[in-house]
Amino acid sequence: MSKHFKTAFIIFLSIFIIDQIVKFGFANFDWNVAGPIMSLELAYNYGVAFSMFSFLQEYLKYIQLAIVFGATMYLYKNPDVFKEYYISVALLFAGGLSNILDRFTYGAVVDYFYWHYGFEFAIFNIADVIINLGVAIILYKQFKQARKEKQKTENS
């Protein structure tokens, strides 16, 4: 097993377990706390981001599993991509699979962070934050690589 895969697996497992424990707590105990800026408030999201596609509620878990399977096959056939983005992959898979497990366990994604200071924002969870972090890392690496390539061509 490669060093990158081991690291990615540890990141994946740690985040996945923590996220599921927190979601279990919100779904089964009264962990709601009202705050002046952000509140902890249980909500179920039957769609995806901002409750989009909630009309596909029964099918979303299968659609998302198919996407994860496709991404896994892509990474298997392109190990250089995995090696370059293994941390982001671990983050995306941990957050994504945790939210998919919610759909099988609770019938919807368990959300609980509710930002309401200055403006109302969607309720979200740790997995959502982790997914966004994974995407941000990919974008950062892409911009950094593009800048390096641009400088290389300008210096040639």
Side-chain angles (χ1 to χ4, degrees), residues 59-135:
Y59 306 103
L60 276 175
K61 57 190 164 201
Y62 302 111
I63 293 167
Q64 291 172 324
L65 277 176
I67 291 168
V68 169
F69 179 75
T72 303
M73 290 297 96
Y74 175 82
L75 292 170
Y76 180 74
K77 292 184 180 281
N78 297 280
D80 53 319
V81 175
F82 177 79
K83 187 176 179 182
E84 178 70 26
Y85 297 101
Y86 68 98
I87 292 174
S88 296
V89 168
L91 297 174
L92 291 169
F93 275 55
L97 287 171
S98 184
N99 281 345
I100 292 169
L101 180 58
D102 289 359
R103 293 184 187 286
F104 284 98
T105 307
Y106 305 106
V109 175
V110 176
D111 287 332
Y112 45 84
F113 287 127
Y114 175 45
W115 178 275
H116 52 78
Y117 181 76
F119 60 93
E120 301 263 334
F121 193 72
I123 300 178
F124 56 97
N125 60 41
I126 292 172
D128 299 335
V129 173
I130 293 300
I131 290 167
N132 284 298
L133 178 60
V135 170

Side-chain angles (χ1 to χ4, degrees), residues 17-87:
I17 290 170
I18 290 167
D19 188 54
Q20 283 298 305
I21 289 170
V22 172
K23 288 174 176 176
F24 180 84
F26 273 98
N28 294 287
F29 306 107
D30 185 18
W31 284 9
N32 294 341
V33 178
I37 296 172
M38 180 181 275
S39 297
L40 299 174
E41 183 177 311
L42 175 63
Y44 291 98
N45 184 350
Y46 298 95
V48 292
F50 307 104
S51 296
M52 292 186 299
F53 306 116
S54 57
F55 64 93
L56 291 172
Q57 171 188 348
E58 291 300 315
Y59 306 103
L60 276 175
K61 57 190 164 201
Y62 302 111
I63 293 167
Q64 291 172 324
L65 277 176
I67 291 168
V68 169
F69 179 75
T72 303
M73 290 297 96
Y74 175 82
L75 292 170
Y76 180 74
K77 292 184 180 281
N78 297 280
D80 53 319
V81 175
F82 177 79
K83 187 176 179 182
E84 178 70 26
Y85 297 101
Y86 68 98
I87 292 174

